[in-house]
Amino acid sequence: MKVFIVFAHPELKSFNGSFLKGTVEHLEGNGHEVRVSDLYREHFKSVVDEKDFLNFKEGDKLNVFVQSTMATKEGKLTKDVYDAQANLKWADLVIFQFPYWWFSMPAILKGWFDRVYSSGFAYNVGVHNSTRFGDRYGEGNMAGKKAMLAVTVGGSESQYSPRGINGSINELLFPITHGMLHYPGFTVLPSHITYKTDRAGEQEFNDSLNSFLNKLDNIDTIKPIAYRKQNFGDYEYPSLELKEGLEQPNESGLSIHIAK
């Protein structure tokens, strides 16, 4: 198996840093190929601007979507973006590992998505007809590949439960798992969450790491999150609203976009 890990934590001596080291050693020890993009050590550029598009003409108005589409088509993106895209194409499994800060990922990782997910590479909204609206939400260049999150949080599991004060962790991660992984076509596996990370001792670290490694060893048996696909009959066109009656009785919110 070819595994690409996108790692976003500023400190290698942290829980996350040790977790990454243990993951890579285990995978390589079992004969898998592993590539790691350590965004902080790479000083990955996280802000989108005109320098990202080598065909941008000085003085023109920057429309990121339009310029991204043109640069992707013309082969005018920057080397760091092409390197990341090549790793995505290479991988069978992509793991995004990061601490959950302020109800999101670190800014450097969000910038990675902003820049690497160029229009025409990660999605295509320009091809549509009466039944299709582009290659996204279940289709696209990442179709056939698996992806998952390995996330550390500071709070307790109860705080991130459906009745917890922070909200359900799965709903909080929905913009990432659905909007950033399912969107370009990944088969999305359930996230691996480690709670109370800042207070974790050796036993808690080992328990979380071993649980994660067991998931990786049995990756083909893990049931993916059953996100509904955009162009397979569940959504009305052109509104892209879920068709009436597909949700469970009294079901609402984000969960209606997961087939039961």
Side-chain angles (χ1 to χ4, degrees):
M1 181 170 62
K2 298 175 181 177
V3 184
F4 177 39
I5 304 175
V6 183
F7 177 73
H9 196 286
E11 178 54 74
L12 286 178
K13 295 189 289 291
S14 64
F15 184 106
N16 270 275
S18 297
F19 197 94
L20 173 68
K21 182 175 183 292
T23 299
V24 172
E25 289 177 348
H26 179 83
L27 287 169
E28 291 182 338
N30 285 329
H32 302 292
E33 298 178 64
V34 183
R35 295 180 183 178
V36 177
S37 183
D38 184 343
L39 301 185
Y40 281 94
R41 256 55 60 183
E42 295 169 9
H43 301 288
F44 187 85
K45 177 179 177 289
S46 60
V47 178
V48 175
D49 57 28
E50 65 276 4
K51 295 182 180 67
D52 292 314
F53 313 112
L54 303 183
N55 57 351
F56 181 78
K57 297 179 181 178
E58 187 176 355
D60 284 356
K61 177 182 177 181
L62 176 62
N63 181 313
V64 172
F65 168 71
V66 172
Q67 199 67 44
S68 176
T69 303
M70 292 171 56
T72 301
K73 183 178 180 179
E74 297 173 10
K76 296 295 184 178
L77 299 169
T78 57
K79 183 181 183 301
D80 57 348
V81 168
Y82 281 128
D83 288 345
Q85 291 180 348
N87 285 330
L88 289 173
K89 292 176 183 178
W90 168 84
D92 302 310
L93 170 67
V94 182
I95 300 169
F96 296 92
Q97 185 189 335
F98 59 93
Y100 193 64
W101 288 345
W102 285 110
F103 293 86
S104 187
M105 59 181 66
I108 196 169
L109 180 55
K110 177 56 168 61
W112 184 94
F113 281 101
D114 288 344
R115 297 184 61 232
V116 173
Y117 272 26
S118 64
S119 172
F121 171 78
Y123 65 100
N124 184 346
V125 297
V127 180
H128 58 273
N129 53 40
S130 60
T131 59
R132 296 181 56 81
F133 197 89
D135 297 326
R136 57 178 190 167
Y137 288 119
E139 298 177 275
N141 282 336
M142 299 302 108
K145 301 176 181 292
K146 296 178 180 179
M148 68 186 301
L149 307 181
V151 182
T152 57
V153 297
S156 64
E157 185 172 1
S158 62
Q159 294 173 15
Y160 288 93
S161 67
R163 296 177 63 85
I165 191 168
N166 292 326
S168 167
I169 190 64
N170 290 325
E171 291 196 351
L172 293 170
L173 293 175
F174 183 92
I176 304 173
T177 55
H178 184 265
M180 298 181 184
L181 304 188
H182 179 54
Y183 191 103
F186 280 115
T187 296
V188 186
L189 304 181
S191 303
H192 181 81
I193 313 296
T194 305
Y195 298 96
K196 300 175 67 173
T197 309
D198 291 338
R199 286 159 282 177
E202 183 176 355
Q203 185 62 54
E204 289 79 11
F205 172 83
N206 289 333
D207 288 347
S208 181
L209 178 60
N210 289 334
S211 174
F212 185 62
L213 298 181
N214 183 64
K215 292 175 183 177
L216 296 180
D217 289 343
N218 297 279
I219 200 77
D220 292 330
T221 68
I222 299 176
K223 185 178 179 180
I225 303 173
Y227 288 129
R228 299 181 187 275
K229 295 184 178 181
Q230 175 182 269
N231 297 318
F232 286 70
D234 284 359
Y235 294 92
E236 300 283 0
Y237 183 89
S239 68
L240 294 182
E241 293 180 294
L242 186 67
K243 291 181 178 178
E244 292 286 344
L246 292 183
E247 71 275 18
Q248 298 295 308
N250 301 315
E251 185 183 24
S252 63
L254 301 179
S255 63
I256 67 173
H257 300 292
I258 302 175
K260 305 300 189 292

